[in-house]
Amino acid sequence: MDASKITSDHTEPSSMHGSSSSKTYNGGLSMLNLENPVFCCFLLWSSVLVVKMLLMSLLTALQRFRNKILGLMPQCLLKKVFPNKEDLFFKNIEVQFDDPNVERVRRAHRNDMENILPYFTMALLYICTNPNPSVACNLFRVAAVARIIHTLVYAFYPVPQPSRIIAFFTMFGITMYMAFVVGLQTLKYI
């Protein structure tokens, strides 16, 4: 194919619709770059949340071996909790599913996955709407700190309600706010 044919076939969208004014589009995916301070703030706080979620997996394993590692109890009382027969390293134990400490950490980890993953999606879409940088960065900070507090009061040091529910609804509210903003910004295109 001839290079001149390729360039002559290419027309700008504004000229196709008969519009003489040229619009510059400064939103959407162009906002997802390291020159955008909102995106950089999102990357930082998202990285914190990803590391926190990865540490929850290690905390689950630690809870399975906790007394073995700490060495605070006699051998006959050591807690080694494994949910699968193939995971049994020791001959003198049985498969166990109901250890409260392990289950608490697993529930906290599952709660993270149920809330942090939708937040990541909504936050990226929110960044594409070109939000106010100070508002967006504060939303990212508060959401990450709320999830860290949720983990602390749920998995590490259980605290009575309403501490967990406040931490949960803080991030939930932020995710809903971002969804609302994205919805309003895109409604005009429907």
Side-chain angles (χ1 to χ4, degrees):
M1 239 175 142
D2 187 345
S4 62
K5 175 134 175 75
I6 294 173
T7 54
S8 66
D9 287 344
H10 176 46
T11 55
E12 292 296 319
S14 61
S15 63
M16 288 172 45
H17 297 292
S19 171
S20 60
S21 66
S22 64
K23 286 185 176 179
T24 56
Y25 181 69
N26 293 327
L29 294 178
S30 66
M31 301 302 297
L32 304 179
N33 63 58
L34 295 178
E35 294 173 5
N36 181 357
V38 175
F39 185 62
C40 290
C41 186
F42 167 75
L43 290 178
L44 171 71
W45 289 104
S46 293
S47 298
V48 168
L49 289 174
V50 167
V51 168
K52 185 195 93 52
M53 287 177 65
L54 291 172
L55 290 175
M56 292 299 289
S57 298
L58 294 177
L59 182 60
T60 303
L62 180 66
Q63 286 293 349
R64 293 186 193 285
F65 284 103
R66 77 186 147 106
N67 294 330
K68 173 80 173 148
I69 291 172
L70 296 175
L72 299 175
M73 300 179 82
Q75 184 68 25
C76 62
L77 298 176
L78 289 181
K79 202 167 237 182
K80 295 166 262 182
V81 181
F82 299 97
N84 304 311
K85 285 191 177 222
E86 62 270 12
D87 295 338
L88 298 176
F89 294 117
F90 310 100
K91 306 286 189 241
N92 60 347
I93 58 175
E94 294 181 16
V95 174
Q96 185 178 354
F97 296 102
D98 59 351
D99 183 73
N101 297 313
V102 173
E103 290 305 311
R104 176 174 287 282
V105 174
R106 290 181 67 219
R107 285 191 308 269
H109 191 208
R110 185 176 58 236
N111 190 281
D112 278 349
M113 290 186 288
E114 291 170 352
N115 292 283
I116 293 174
L117 298 178
Y119 163 79
F120 285 160
T121 303
M122 242 17 273
L124 280 172
L125 296 175
Y126 178 69
I127 292 169
C128 292
T129 66
N130 196 14
N132 180 313
S134 62
V135 171
C137 288
N138 282 325
L139 288 174
F140 300 149
R141 288 180 191 118
V142 171
V145 169
R147 285 315 298 184
I148 292 168
I149 290 171
H150 184 271
T151 298
L152 291 175
V153 300
Y154 194 4
F156 279 97
Y157 185 74
V159 176
Q161 294 288 12
S163 58
R164 243 180 33 223
I165 198 79
I166 291 170
F168 169 80
F169 273 114
T170 300
M171 183 178 227
F172 182 81
I174 289 171
T175 305
M176 291 298 287
Y177 169 78
M178 287 191 239
F180 182 73
V181 169
V182 169
L184 283 180
Q185 291 287 327
T186 58
L187 193 59
K188 59 187 171 192
Y189 298 108
I190 295 177

